[in-house]
């Protein structure tokens, strides 16, 4: 496909449908008028994705506002009678009666009015038909786009085409008449693709990634967020592949920009209550990247633990829990791939170093969360009377994610050694575990008792057997308070 063809596709997909109150609407497009008025009925036979007359709604039956043009046409139909009606108030008042018209005159007036309203109805139907034709034509163009993405996934023009498809998905989201178009667009953007474009301008790719992340922060629902996460993953992998053969300076510049964009999204999620981001937003990206390309997002996991996993750093405790969850999703779940794809990793030492730093941050954040949870400081937390800032079930969730991270890294010999170097019993860890073991009955959950027993020494976080013992307490009933505590 050529650049001119992509421009033509973009022109079609960006065409807008609209109209004035008279129904005399114009379709804003650069396409030839004859193409817009093409007969799509025959071509659309049997295609479930097409828009039917019923789907578009019976716009012609809607009550129209009486605008200035309509008023003038009616006045013209009435002729002198209308003028008399406007200027004879004094005479009517004096004589006490209005001028009457014979049957022939009334028949002429009726016919003229019927012609005016028939013309208005025809205009309305023409606009509706034009809209249906354009939507159906866009569906045909999207079919072409889908074929292009499947047959030429490495074409650099893919990056140039994606913004238009994303804009179309957003523009048709709230219009029920464009639902087939919206669904088709979502299907294209949500498709799992295994080949990626190269040869495009890095700045264009980075600008597209930035726009996707900004839109994701204000996504309307989880469906849109999942779609944007999939597209963001596609663009990140494309950027990584695009600079694979470039010099180190170019690689570093692109990776740093990707990190900045992801870090801004992480900050939005952790510090703004209205943010629509979720930890799973990053999962498609880590799944698509090669093991050698994961370094940028391991830094994101580290940032989540160091900047947002300790009490008071995130906007609320739920987001604090999500900092642990994000670290597990982004780094811990990909640790096994780093090992299995080690032949593709040119600098395995950097991953071991990153794992050590991440696990050290994990111990620091978890011990601080435990300390605050069982302290008087937590009891005096702002909010409703008697409400704790860190409730037992929230602390349990942090602990589950922490144990999950430690378990995944302890499965491999190399990462286990990094974990053994990272997890060190210090005064803070000892005080946190001791405080939890003697905490009030509200913290008397099975997982907490097991944690205090098996993790008295921080080094046990690198021991698969000890971790398995704690994990066994993750059962559904472990989150319930003991009978004494529930009274």
């Amino acid at each position: 496909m050529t650049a001119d063809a992509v421009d033509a596709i973009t022109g079609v997909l960006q065409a807008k449908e609209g109209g004035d109150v008279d129904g005399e609407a114009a379709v804003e497009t650069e396409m030839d008028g004859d193409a817009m008025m093409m007969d799509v009925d025959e071509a659309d036979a049997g295609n479930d994705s097409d828009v039917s007359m019923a789907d578009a709604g019976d716009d012609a039956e809607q009550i129209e506002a009486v605008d200035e043009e309509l008023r003038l046409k009616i006045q013209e139909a009435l002729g002198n009678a209308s003028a008399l009606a406007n200027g004879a108030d004094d005479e009517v008042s004096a004589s006490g009666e209005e001028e009457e018209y014979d049957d022939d005159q009334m028949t002429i007036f009726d016919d003229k009015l019927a012609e005016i309203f028939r013309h208005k109805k025809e205009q309305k139907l023409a606009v509706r038909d034009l809209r249906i034709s354009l939507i159906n034509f866009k569906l045909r163009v999207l079919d072409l786009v889908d074929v292009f993405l499947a047959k030429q996934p490495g074409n650099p023009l893919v990056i140039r085409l994606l913004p238009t498809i994303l804009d179309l998905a957003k523009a048709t989201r709230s219009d029920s008449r464009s639902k087939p178009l919206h669904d088709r667009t979502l299907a294209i953007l949500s498709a799992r693709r295994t080949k990626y474009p190269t040869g495009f301008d890095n700045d264009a790719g980075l600008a597209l990634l930035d726009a996707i992340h900004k839109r994701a922060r204000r996504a309307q629902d989880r469906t849109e967020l999942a779609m944007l996460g999939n597209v963001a993953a596609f663009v990140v992998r494309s950027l990584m592949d695009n600079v694979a053969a470039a010099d180190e300076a170019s690689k570093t510049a692109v990776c740093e920009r990707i990190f900045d964009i992801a870090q801004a999204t992480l900050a939005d999620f952790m510090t703004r209550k209205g943010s629509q981001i979720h930890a799973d937003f990053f999962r498609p990206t880590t799944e698509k990247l090669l093991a050698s390309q994961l370094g940028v997002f391991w830094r994101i996991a580290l940032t989540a633990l160091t900047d947002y996993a300790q009490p008071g750093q995130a906007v609320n405790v739920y987001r604090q829990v999500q900092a642990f969850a994000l670290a597990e999703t982004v780094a811990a779940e990909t640790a096994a791939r780093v090992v299995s794809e080690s032949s593709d990793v040119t600098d395995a030492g950097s991953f071991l170093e990153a794992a050590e730093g991440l696990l050290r941050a994990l111990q620091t954040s978890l011990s601080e969360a435990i300390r605050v949870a069982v302290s008087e400081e937590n009891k005096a937390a702002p909010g409703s009377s008697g409400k704790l800032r860190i409730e037992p079930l929230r602390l349990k969730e942090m602990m589950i994610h922490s144990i999950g991270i430690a378990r995944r890294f302890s499965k491999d010999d190399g990462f286990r050694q990094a974990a053994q170097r990272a997890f060190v019993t210090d005064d803070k860890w000892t005080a946190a575990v001791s405080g939890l073991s003697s905490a009030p009955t509200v913290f008397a959950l099975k997982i907490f008792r097991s944690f205090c027993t098996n993790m008295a020494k921080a080094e046990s976080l690198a021991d698969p057997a000890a971790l398995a013992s704690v994990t066994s307490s993750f059962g559904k009933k472990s989150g319930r308070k003991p009978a004494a505590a529930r009274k």
Side-chain angles (χ1 to χ4, degrees), residues 31-44 129-130 132-134 136-138 140:
M31 296 181 58
D32 183 81
D34 292 337
M36 287 287 86
M37 294 302 292
M38 63 181 292
D39 183 3
V40 297
D41 291 339
E42 181 177 352
D44 295 344
D129 292 344
L130 183 59
I132 294 171
S133 296
L134 181 55
N136 282 331
F137 189 57
K138 284 185 177 182
R140 295 294 181 270

Side-chain angles (χ1 to χ4, degrees), residues 415-484:
F415 283 130
R416 188 183 306 119
Q417 293 175 9
Q420 291 169 347
R421 292 192 298 270
F423 295 132
V424 177
T425 304
D426 54 16
D427 292 342
K428 290 183 178 180
W429 183 261
T430 301
V433 175
S434 176
L436 182 60
S437 63
S438 60
T441 54
V442 68
F443 285 96
L445 302 182
K446 182 179 179 182
I447 184 176
F448 297 155
R449 296 195 300 269
S450 177
F451 185 88
C452 292
T453 300
N454 293 282
M455 300 295 159
K457 299 293 183 180
E459 289 82 359
S460 298
L461 287 167
D463 182 359
L467 291 169
S469 296
V470 179
T471 304
S472 65
S473 63
F474 289 177
K476 294 182 179 179
K477 294 184 179 180
S478 64
R480 297 181 59 194
K481 300 175 184 178

Side-chain angles (χ1 to χ4, degrees), residues 184-460:
R184 187 74 181 94
T185 306
L186 282 184
I188 291 174
L189 294 174
S190 301
R192 298 181 65 88
R193 305 187 187 280
T194 58
K195 295 183 179 180
Y196 308 92
T198 56
F200 56 87
D201 179 63
N202 287 328
D203 290 337
L206 290 167
L208 174 58
L209 180 64
D210 188 42
I212 293 170
H213 274 252
K214 287 179 178 177
R215 180 174 161 186
R217 297 166 200 165
R218 290 169 172 76
Q220 296 295 312
D221 51 43
R222 295 297 289 270
T223 300
E224 183 182 16
L225 183 63
M227 177 272 290
L228 292 171
N230 187 63
V231 180
F234 180 85
V235 176
V236 170
R237 175 61 188 273
S238 299
L239 283 164
M240 292 291 195
D241 288 356
N242 201 42
V243 297
D247 57 84
E248 287 302 317
S250 298
K251 289 181 181 179
T252 300
V254 169
C255 288
E256 286 301 313
R257 185 70 183 109
I258 292 174
F259 174 77
D260 290 342
I261 293 171
Q263 186 181 40
T265 298
L266 173 64
D268 181 83
F269 175 43
M270 292 296 167
T271 61
R272 187 172 67 88
K273 285 185 177 181
S275 178
Q276 299 303 307
I277 296 296
H278 190 271
D280 285 342
F281 173 75
F282 295 97
R283 189 187 300 276
T285 299
T286 57
E287 289 176 347
K288 285 184 183 294
L289 292 179
L290 298 174
S292 58
Q293 300 170 336
L294 287 168
V296 171
F297 286 88
W298 277 37
R299 289 172 59 194
I300 291 296
L302 177 61
T303 302
L305 289 176
T306 56
D307 293 359
Y308 305 109
Q310 295 187 30
Q313 291 180 320
V315 69
N316 53 39
V317 178
Y318 169 75
R319 298 294 171 85
Q320 181 187 351
V321 172
Q322 290 302 302
F324 287 92
L326 188 145
E328 184 176 13
T329 298
V330 172
E333 291 183 5
T334 59
R337 285 179 47 215
V338 171
V339 175
S340 63
E341 300 176 22
S342 57
S343 59
D344 296 327
V345 180
T346 58
D347 189 7
S350 65
F351 282 93
L352 295 176
E353 182 180 350
E356 186 174 342
L358 189 147
L359 294 174
R360 189 175 293 114
L362 174 67
Q363 178 184 337
T364 300
S365 296
L366 181 59
S367 61
E368 182 65 11
I370 294 173
R371 183 195 69 78
V372 171
V374 299
S375 68
E376 293 296 324
E377 175 187 350
N378 192 42
K379 295 179 182 179
S384 60
S385 178
K387 184 176 181 180
L388 302 177
R389 177 187 288 115
I390 301 179
E391 296 179 345
L393 293 183
R394 289 301 187 195
L395 181 61
K396 173 191 171 184
E397 291 172 351
M398 296 180 207
M399 201 169 287
I400 289 175
H401 289 303
S402 299
I403 297 300
I405 293 171
R407 284 193 70 191
R408 291 177 185 275
F409 278 107
S410 67
K411 289 181 179 180
D412 173 72
D413 291 339
F415 283 130
R416 188 183 306 119
Q417 293 175 9
Q420 291 169 347
R421 292 192 298 270
F423 295 132
V424 177
T425 304
D426 54 16
D427 292 342
K428 290 183 178 180
W429 183 261
T430 301
V433 175
S434 176
L436 182 60
S437 63
S438 60
T441 54
V442 68
F443 285 96
L445 302 182
K446 182 179 179 182
I447 184 176
F448 297 155
R449 296 195 300 269
S450 177
F451 185 88
C452 292
T453 300
N454 293 282
M455 300 295 159
K457 299 293 183 180
E459 289 82 359
S460 298

Side-chain angles (χ1 to χ4, degrees), residues 164-178:
T164 300
I165 306 175
L166 285 165
D167 289 343
L168 181 62
K170 182 178 181 180
T172 56
R173 182 179 58 215
S174 58
D175 188 351
S176 60
R177 294 174 296 183
S178 298

Side-chain angles (χ1 to χ4, degrees), residues 50-217:
D50 292 346
V51 180
S52 66
M53 302 290 278
D55 292 333
D58 194 358
D59 295 338
E61 294 180 1
Q62 296 179 355
I63 299 176
E64 297 180 330
V66 180
D67 57 15
E68 182 65 16
E69 181 183 356
L70 182 61
R71 188 188 67 79
L72 292 174
K73 289 182 178 180
I74 293 176
Q75 183 175 0
E76 179 183 356
L78 294 175
N80 293 333
S82 177
L84 290 173
N86 291 329
D89 289 343
D90 294 339
E91 296 181 10
V92 171
S93 176
S95 63
E97 60 182 29
E98 297 181 3
E99 180 179 356
E100 297 182 358
Y101 306 102
D102 57 32
D103 292 343
D104 292 339
Q105 289 176 312
M106 291 305 299
T107 299
I108 294 174
F109 295 156
D110 288 345
D111 291 344
K112 188 64 176 178
L113 288 175
E115 180 183 350
I116 292 172
F117 286 109
R118 184 169 58 253
H119 177 64
K120 296 292 292 181
K121 182 178 180 179
E122 291 172 352
Q123 288 180 325
K124 195 74 173 180
L125 289 173
V127 171
R128 184 194 64 180
D129 292 344
L130 183 59
R131 179 188 180 88
I132 294 171
S133 296
L134 181 55
I135 290 176
N136 282 331
F137 189 57
K138 284 185 177 182
L139 288 170
R140 295 294 181 270
V141 173
L142 286 176
D143 289 340
L144 177 62
V145 169
D146 199 16
V147 172
F148 168 58
L149 294 176
K151 299 296 184 181
Q152 300 184 32
N155 194 316
L157 294 173
V158 170
I159 295 297
R160 182 172 171 179
L161 188 57
L162 279 177
T164 300
I165 306 175
L166 285 165
D167 289 343
L168 181 62
K170 182 178 181 180
T172 56
R173 182 179 58 215
S174 58
D175 188 351
S176 60
R177 294 174 296 183
S178 298
K179 187 177 185 304
L181 197 59
H182 181 68
D183 292 345
R184 187 74 181 94
T185 306
L186 282 184
I188 291 174
L189 294 174
S190 301
R192 298 181 65 88
R193 305 187 187 280
T194 58
K195 295 183 179 180
Y196 308 92
T198 56
F200 56 87
D201 179 63
N202 287 328
D203 290 337
L206 290 167
L208 174 58
L209 180 64
D210 188 42
I212 293 170
H213 274 252
K214 287 179 178 177
R215 180 174 161 186
R217 297 166 200 165

